[in-house]
Amino acid sequence: MRENAPACGLMNAMGTYDALLVVSFGGPEKPDDVMPFLENVVRGRGIPRERLLEVEAHYQRFGGMSPINQQCRDLIAAVEPTIDLPVYWGNRNWHPYLEDTLRRMAADGVRRAAAFVTAAYSSYSACRQYIDDISLARAAVEGAPEIVKLRHYFDHPGFVAAMVDHTRAALEELPAEHRAAARLVFTAHSIPVSMAETSGPGGGAYEAQLRRTASLIAAELGGDRPWDLVWQSRSGAPHIPWLEPDVCDHLAGIDAPAVVLVPIGFVSDHMEVVYDLDVEAAELAGQMGLPLARAATAGTHPRFVAMIGELLAEPEPAACAATCCPAPARRTAQAPGAGRHG
């Protein structure tokens, strides 16, 4: 990560960027980080202490570390050789914080940067909240560079190709006799129904985009293989409707000889993937005697890495309308799941 590299330019059809900013959620990297991180994520939301302790236990099971920060480092290391730009990294909820990164960018003379957000879809939590946090960080930094958020990439051929390859690899992990008839179960982070209904400029974009991604992957795999879209990591109050069914509820009633879980709602194998799918869903499948494999997320797949450079070279995306993906009402505020993208 060339934090102090001199600014250089990448021309696109609409202007010039002199840096790339990778923006992610952030996550703890040692046991003592976990509770402060969770408290930071839910500050002002009135989340019960017992819920935070429950989520903390998920992290401590894995040594108090979320994989997400290291995976951001790995992605940056893969991207840097492919673009002629200095690459910076800032998180919304843990070190390195966006504000600190923008301050460093300003000191380095960066004037205009493209932001690649590690969330591919439209919704308040996956898009608008990142835009708002970038704006807040810029307001706090004198001379902060202009930041242009790159477009959603849920249907970009690079993202799709990475997930197709990883799904094929997961199918190969199943017993040979079950591969042809295995059912694909695509997963994404559940969100409140009210948030889903207002996602995107006209509403309903979050689920529609996820279904589009799933259909593209399934089509590439061929053979009219059956698939479902289900949800994971619900974290809100029981009386608030969230997108359903939950992945474990779905698996409990599934009629299939084998299943491949495909976490298209995430771009890296961070805590919610490794806990909700590799622990909870895998344990349930084992109890059921259901052959189960889990596809890797896009991670540092070469096509996904190349996609970032392709997005940088596209015409500058139009800014989202102020009414797009509005903040949810306070009653739908959520606690983190296994980490809420951490």
Side-chain angles (χ1 to χ4, degrees), residues 261-276:
L261 298 177
V262 189
I264 55 172
F266 308 83
V267 301
S268 61
D269 285 9
H270 50 74
M271 183 58 70
E272 287 165 318
V273 175
V274 300
Y275 187 84
D276 296 348

mmCIF file with all atom_site columns, all heavy atoms in Angstrom, residues 261-276:
data_model
loop_
_atom_site.group_PDB
_atom_site.id
_atom_site.type_symbol
_atom_site.label_atom_id
_atom_site.label_alt_id
_atom_site.label_comp_id
_atom_site.label_asym_id
_atom_site.label_entity_id
_atom_site.label_seq_id
_atom_site.pdbx_PDB_ins_code
_atom_site.Cartn_x
_atom_site.Cartn_y
_atom_site.Cartn_z
_atom_site.occupancy
_atom_site.B_iso_or_equiv
_atom_site.pdbx_formal_charge
_atom_site.auth_seq_id
_atom_site.auth_comp_id
_atom_site.auth_asym_id
_atom_site.auth_atom_id
_atom_site.pdbx_PDB_model_num
ATOM 1   N N   . LEU A 1 261 ? -23.324 -23.601 -0.818 1.00 0.00 ? 261 LEU A N   1
ATOM 2   C CA  . LEU A 1 261 ? -23.619 -22.248 -0.363 1.00 0.00 ? 261 LEU A CA  1
ATOM 3   C C   . LEU A 1 261 ? -22.724 -21.278 -1.128 1.00 0.00 ? 261 LEU A C   1
ATOM 4   O O   . LEU A 1 261 ? -21.508 -21.477 -1.203 1.00 0.00 ? 261 LEU A O   1
ATOM 5   C CB  . LEU A 1 261 ? -23.358 -22.110 1.135  1.00 0.00 ? 261 LEU A CB  1
ATOM 6   C CG  . LEU A 1 261 ? -24.201 -22.989 2.063  1.00 0.00 ? 261 LEU A CG  1
ATOM 7   C CD1 . LEU A 1 261 ? -23.765 -22.786 3.517  1.00 0.00 ? 261 LEU A CD1 1
ATOM 8   C CD2 . LEU A 1 261 ? -25.679 -22.687 1.913  1.00 0.00 ? 261 LEU A CD2 1
ATOM 9   N N   . VAL A 1 262 ? -23.338 -20.228 -1.668 1.00 0.00 ? 262 VAL A N   1
ATOM 10  C CA  . VAL A 1 262 ? -22.601 -19.261 -2.480 1.00 0.00 ? 262 VAL A CA  1
ATOM 11  C C   . VAL A 1 262 ? -22.859 -17.870 -1.903 1.00 0.00 ? 262 VAL A C   1
ATOM 12  O O   . VAL A 1 262 ? -23.892 -17.257 -2.157 1.00 0.00 ? 262 VAL A O   1
ATOM 13  C CB  . VAL A 1 262 ? -23.031 -19.318 -3.958 1.00 0.00 ? 262 VAL A CB  1
ATOM 14  C CG1 . VAL A 1 262 ? -22.093 -18.461 -4.813 1.00 0.00 ? 262 VAL A CG1 1
ATOM 15  C CG2 . VAL A 1 262 ? -23.067 -20.751 -4.473 1.00 0.00 ? 262 VAL A CG2 1
ATOM 16  N N   . PRO A 1 263 ? -21.928 -17.337 -1.108 1.00 0.00 ? 263 PRO A N   1
ATOM 17  C CA  . PRO A 1 263 ? -22.145 -16.054 -0.417 1.00 0.00 ? 263 PRO A CA  1
ATOM 18  C C   . PRO A 1 263 ? -21.908 -14.841 -1.322 1.00 0.00 ? 263 PRO A C   1
ATOM 19  O O   . PRO A 1 263 ? -20.901 -14.133 -1.204 1.00 0.00 ? 263 PRO A O   1
ATOM 20  C CB  . PRO A 1 263 ? -21.152 -16.112 0.745  1.00 0.00 ? 263 PRO A CB  1
ATOM 21  C CG  . PRO A 1 263 ? -20.041 -16.963 0.228  1.00 0.00 ? 263 PRO A CG  1
ATOM 22  C CD  . PRO A 1 263 ? -20.678 -17.989 -0.680 1.00 0.00 ? 263 PRO A CD  1
ATOM 23  N N   . ILE A 1 264 ? -22.857 -14.572 -2.197 1.00 0.00 ? 264 ILE A N   1
ATOM 24  C CA  . ILE A 1 264 ? -22.694 -13.479 -3.165 1.00 0.00 ? 264 ILE A CA  1
ATOM 25  C C   . ILE A 1 264 ? -22.867 -12.102 -2.527 1.00 0.00 ? 264 ILE A C   1
ATOM 26  O O   . ILE A 1 264 ? -22.512 -11.095 -3.138 1.00 0.00 ? 264 ILE A O   1
ATOM 27  C CB  . ILE A 1 264 ? -23.681 -13.619 -4.340 1.00 0.00 ? 264 ILE A CB  1
ATOM 28  C CG1 . ILE A 1 264 ? -25.133 -13.723 -3.838 1.00 0.00 ? 264 ILE A CG1 1
ATOM 29  C CG2 . ILE A 1 264 ? -23.303 -14.800 -5.212 1.00 0.00 ? 264 ILE A CG2 1
ATOM 30  C CD1 . ILE A 1 264 ? -26.163 -13.661 -4.945 1.00 0.00 ? 264 ILE A CD1 1
ATOM 31  N N   . GLY A 1 265 ? -23.406 -12.040 -1.313 1.00 0.00 ? 265 GLY A N   1
ATOM 32  C CA  . GLY A 1 265 ? -23.594 -10.749 -0.665 1.00 0.00 ? 265 GLY A CA  1
ATOM 33  C C   . GLY A 1 265 ? -22.330 -10.188 -0.049 1.00 0.00 ? 265 GLY A C   1
ATOM 34  O O   . GLY A 1 265 ? -22.345 -9.078  0.487  1.00 0.00 ? 265 GLY A O   1
ATOM 35  N N   . PHE A 1 266 ? -21.229 -10.908 -0.130 1.00 0.00 ? 266 PHE A N   1
ATOM 36  C CA  . PHE A 1 266 ? -19.960 -10.520 0.494  1.00 0.00 ? 266 PHE A CA  1
ATOM 37  C C   . PHE A 1 266 ? -18.850 -10.646 -0.540 1.00 0.00 ? 266 PHE A C   1
ATOM 38  O O   . PHE A 1 266 ? -18.901 -11.524 -1.404 1.00 0.00 ? 266 PHE A O   1
ATOM 39  C CB  . PHE A 1 266 ? -19.647 -11.429 1.683  1.00 0.00 ? 266 PHE A CB  1
ATOM 40  C CG  . PHE A 1 266 ? -20.776 -11.534 2.682  1.00 0.00 ? 266 PHE A CG  1
ATOM 41  C CD1 . PHE A 1 266 ? -21.824 -12.425 2.476  1.00 0.00 ? 266 PHE A CD1 1
ATOM 42  C CD2 . PHE A 1 266 ? -20.797 -10.736 3.821  1.00 0.00 ? 266 PHE A CD2 1
ATOM 43  C CE1 . PHE A 1 266 ? -22.871 -12.528 3.391  1.00 0.00 ? 266 PHE A CE1 1
ATOM 44  C CE2 . PHE A 1 266 ? -21.835 -10.835 4.741  1.00 0.00 ? 266 PHE A CE2 1
ATOM 45  C CZ  . PHE A 1 266 ? -22.878 -11.722 4.522  1.00 0.00 ? 266 PHE A CZ  1
ATOM 46  N N   . VAL A 1 267 ? -17.831 -9.819  -0.442 1.00 0.00 ? 267 VAL A N   1
ATOM 47  C CA  . VAL A 1 267 ? -16.724 -9.923  -1.390 1.00 0.00 ? 267 VAL A CA  1
ATOM 48  C C   . VAL A 1 267 ? -15.487 -10.547 -0.764 1.00 0.00 ? 267 VAL A C   1
ATOM 49  O O   . VAL A 1 267 ? -14.499 -10.774 -1.452 1.00 0.00 ? 267 VAL A O   1
ATOM 50  C CB  . VAL A 1 267 ? -16.378 -8.559  -2.022 1.00 0.00 ? 267 VAL A CB  1
ATOM 51  C CG1 . VAL A 1 267 ? -17.576 -7.977  -2.741 1.00 0.00 ? 267 VAL A CG1 1
ATOM 52  C CG2 . VAL A 1 267 ? -15.803 -7.579  -1.012 1.00 0.00 ? 267 VAL A CG2 1
ATOM 53  N N   . SER A 1 268 ? -15.526 -10.832 0.541  1.00 0.00 ? 268 SER A N   1
ATOM 54  C CA  . SER A 1 268 ? -14.407 -11.506 1.179  1.00 0.00 ? 268 SER A CA  1
ATOM 55  C C   . SER A 1 268 ? -14.929 -12.422 2.271  1.00 0.00 ? 268 SER A C   1
ATOM 56  O O   . SER A 1 268 ? -16.033 -12.255 2.779  1.00 0.00 ? 268 SER A O   1
ATOM 57  C CB  . SER A 1 268 ? -13.401 -10.496 1.755  1.00 0.00 ? 268 SER A CB  1
ATOM 58  O OG  . SER A 1 268 ? -14.007 -9.688  2.737  1.00 0.00 ? 268 SER A OG  1
ATOM 59  N N   . ASP A 1 269 ? -14.100 -13.408 2.630  1.00 0.00 ? 269 ASP A N   1
ATOM 60  C CA  . ASP A 1 269 ? -14.494 -14.411 3.625  1.00 0.00 ? 269 ASP A CA  1
ATOM 61  C C   . ASP A 1 269 ? -14.296 -13.866 5.036  1.00 0.00 ? 269 ASP A C   1
ATOM 62  O O   . ASP A 1 269 ? -13.438 -14.321 5.785  1.00 0.00 ? 269 ASP A O   1
ATOM 63  C CB  . ASP A 1 269 ? -13.651 -15.671 3.464  1.00 0.00 ? 269 ASP A CB  1
ATOM 64  C CG  . ASP A 1 269 ? -14.051 -16.507 2.270  1.00 0.00 ? 269 ASP A CG  1
ATOM 65  O OD1 . ASP A 1 269 ? -14.861 -16.034 1.458  1.00 0.00 ? 269 ASP A OD1 1
ATOM 66  O OD2 . ASP A 1 269 ? -13.545 -17.627 2.144  1.00 0.00 ? 269 ASP A OD2 1
ATOM 67  N N   . HIS A 1 270 ? -15.095 -12.873 5.414  1.00 0.00 ? 270 HIS A N   1
ATOM 68  C CA  . HIS A 1 270 ? -14.896 -12.309 6.748  1.00 0.00 ? 270 HIS A CA  1
ATOM 69  C C   . HIS A 1 270 ? -15.776 -13.007 7.773  1.00 0.00 ? 270 HIS A C   1
ATOM 70  O O   . HIS A 1 270 ? -16.282 -14.108 7.537  1.00 0.00 ? 270 HIS A O   1
ATOM 71  C CB  . HIS A 1 270 ? -15.067 -10.792 6.731  1.00 0.00 ? 270 HIS A CB  1
ATOM 72  C CG  . HIS A 1 270 ? -16.309 -10.295 6.069  1.00 0.00 ? 270 HIS A CG  1
ATOM 73  N ND1 . HIS A 1 270 ? -17.552 -10.394 6.634  1.00 0.00 ? 270 HIS A ND1 1
ATOM 74  C CD2 . HIS A 1 270 ? -16.488 -9.691  4.867  1.00 0.00 ? 270 HIS A CD2 1
ATOM 75  C CE1 . HIS A 1 270 ? -18.442 -9.856  5.832  1.00 0.00 ? 270 HIS A CE1 1
ATOM 76  N NE2 . HIS A 1 270 ? -17.836 -9.419  4.743  1.00 0.00 ? 270 HIS A NE2 1
ATOM 77  N N   . MET A 1 271 ? -15.953 -12.384 8.946  1.00 0.00 ? 271 MET A N   1
ATOM 78  C CA  . MET A 1 271 ? -16.485 -13.109 10.089 1.00 0.00 ? 271 MET A CA  1
ATOM 79  C C   . MET A 1 271 ? -17.882 -13.679 9.862  1.00 0.00 ? 271 MET A C   1
ATOM 80  O O   . MET A 1 271 ? -18.187 -14.802 10.255 1.00 0.00 ? 271 MET A O   1
ATOM 81  C CB  . MET A 1 271 ? -16.469 -12.207 11.333 1.00 0.00 ? 271 MET A CB  1
ATOM 82  C CG  . MET A 1 271 ? -16.938 -12.911 12.607 1.00 0.00 ? 271 MET A CG  1
ATOM 83  S SD  . MET A 1 271 ? -15.950 -14.378 13.012 1.00 0.00 ? 271 MET A SD  1
ATOM 84  C CE  . MET A 1 271 ? -14.409 -13.626 13.498 1.00 0.00 ? 271 MET A CE  1
ATOM 85  N N   . GLU A 1 272 ? -18.756 -12.914 9.235  1.00 0.00 ? 272 GLU A N   1
ATOM 86  C CA  . GLU A 1 272 ? -20.116 -13.420 9.052  1.00 0.00 ? 272 GLU A CA  1
ATOM 87  C C   . GLU A 1 272 ? -20.150 -14.635 8.143  1.00 0.00 ? 272 GLU A C   1
ATOM 88  O O   . GLU A 1 272 ? -20.981 -15.519 8.307  1.00 0.00 ? 272 GLU A O   1
ATOM 89  C CB  . GLU A 1 272 ? -21.008 -12.297 8.513  1.00 0.00 ? 272 GLU A CB  1
ATOM 90  C CG  . GLU A 1 272 ? -21.308 -11.281 9.587  1.00 0.00 ? 272 GLU A CG  1
ATOM 91  C CD  . GLU A 1 272 ? -21.874 -9.995  9.036  1.00 0.00 ? 272 GLU A CD  1
ATOM 92  O OE1 . GLU A 1 272 ? -21.378 -9.519  8.009  1.00 0.00 ? 272 GLU A OE1 1
ATOM 93  O OE2 . GLU A 1 272 ? -22.800 -9.459  9.647  1.00 0.00 ? 272 GLU A OE2 1
ATOM 94  N N   . VAL A 1 273 ? -19.249 -14.687 7.188  1.00 0.00 ? 273 VAL A N   1
ATOM 95  C CA  . VAL A 1 273 ? -19.179 -15.854 6.314  1.00 0.00 ? 273 VAL A CA  1
ATOM 96  C C   . VAL A 1 273 ? -18.636 -17.049 7.085  1.00 0.00 ? 273 VAL A C   1
ATOM 97  O O   . VAL A 1 273 ? -19.225 -18.138 7.079  1.00 0.00 ? 273 VAL A O   1
ATOM 98  C CB  . VAL A 1 273 ? -18.315 -15.554 5.079  1.00 0.00 ? 273 VAL A CB  1
ATOM 99  C CG1 . VAL A 1 273 ? -18.138 -16.807 4.230  1.00 0.00 ? 273 VAL A CG1 1
ATOM 100 C CG2 . VAL A 1 273 ? -18.946 -14.439 4.243  1.00 0.00 ? 273 VAL A CG2 1
ATOM 101 N N   . VAL A 1 274 ? -17.518 -16.863 7.776  1.00 0.00 ? 274 VAL A N   1
ATOM 102 C CA  . VAL A 1 274 ? -16.902 -18.014 8.434  1.00 0.00 ? 274 VAL A CA  1
ATOM 103 C C   . VAL A 1 274 ? -17.707 -18.494 9.637  1.00 0.00 ? 274 VAL A C   1
ATOM 104 O O   . VAL A 1 274 ? -17.664 -19.683 9.976  1.00 0.00 ? 274 VAL A O   1
ATOM 105 C CB  . VAL A 1 274 ? -15.440 -17.722 8.844  1.00 0.00 ? 274 VAL A CB  1
ATOM 106 C CG1 . VAL A 1 274 ? -14.600 -17.383 7.628  1.00 0.00 ? 274 VAL A CG1 1
ATOM 107 C CG2 . VAL A 1 274 ? -15.346 -16.616 9.864  1.00 0.00 ? 274 VAL A CG2 1
ATOM 108 N N   . TYR A 1 275 ? -18.462 -17.619 10.290 1.00 0.00 ? 275 TYR A N   1
ATOM 109 C CA  . TYR A 1 275 ? -19.263 -18.078 11.423 1.00 0.00 ? 275 TYR A CA  1
ATOM 110 C C   . TYR A 1 275 ? -20.630 -18.590 10.969 1.00 0.00 ? 275 TYR A C   1
ATOM 111 O O   . TYR A 1 275 ? -21.008 -19.730 11.247 1.00 0.00 ? 275 TYR A O   1
ATOM 112 C CB  . TYR A 1 275 ? -19.451 -16.975 12.477 1.00 0.00 ? 275 TYR A CB  1
ATOM 113 C CG  . TYR A 1 275 ? -20.135 -17.520 13.715 1.00 0.00 ? 275 TYR A CG  1
ATOM 114 C CD1 . TYR A 1 275 ? -19.392 -18.164 14.703 1.00 0.00 ? 275 TYR A CD1 1
ATOM 115 C CD2 . TYR A 1 275 ? -21.517 -17.447 13.876 1.00 0.00 ? 275 TYR A CD2 1
ATOM 116 C CE1 . TYR A 1 275 ? -20.010 -18.707 15.819 1.00 0.00 ? 275 TYR A CE1 1
ATOM 117 C CE2 . TYR A 1 275 ? -22.143 -17.986 14.984 1.00 0.00 ? 275 TYR A CE2 1
ATOM 118 C CZ  . TYR A 1 275 ? -21.383 -18.615 15.955 1.00 0.00 ? 275 TYR A CZ  1
ATOM 119 O OH  . TYR A 1 275 ? -22.001 -19.171 17.053 1.00 0.00 ? 275 TYR A OH  1
ATOM 120 N N   . ASP A 1 276 ? -21.381 -17.763 10.252 1.00 0.00 ? 276 ASP A N   1
ATOM 121 C CA  . ASP A 1 276 ? -22.752 -18.142 9.890  1.00 0.00 ? 276 ASP A CA  1
ATOM 122 C C   . ASP A 1 276 ? -22.801 -19.333 8.949  1.00 0.00 ? 276 ASP A C   1
ATOM 123 O O   . ASP A 1 276 ? -23.705 -20.168 9.055  1.00 0.00 ? 276 ASP A O   1
ATOM 124 C CB  . ASP A 1 276 ? -23.475 -16.956 9.244  1.00 0.00 ? 276 ASP A CB  1
ATOM 125 C CG  . ASP A 1 276 ? -23.650 -15.792 10.192 1.00 0.00 ? 276 ASP A CG  1
ATOM 126 O OD1 . ASP A 1 276 ? -23.437 -15.960 11.395 1.00 0.00 ? 276 ASP A OD1 1
ATOM 127 O OD2 . ASP A 1 276 ? -23.987 -14.692 9.713  1.00 0.00 ? 276 ASP A OD2 1
#
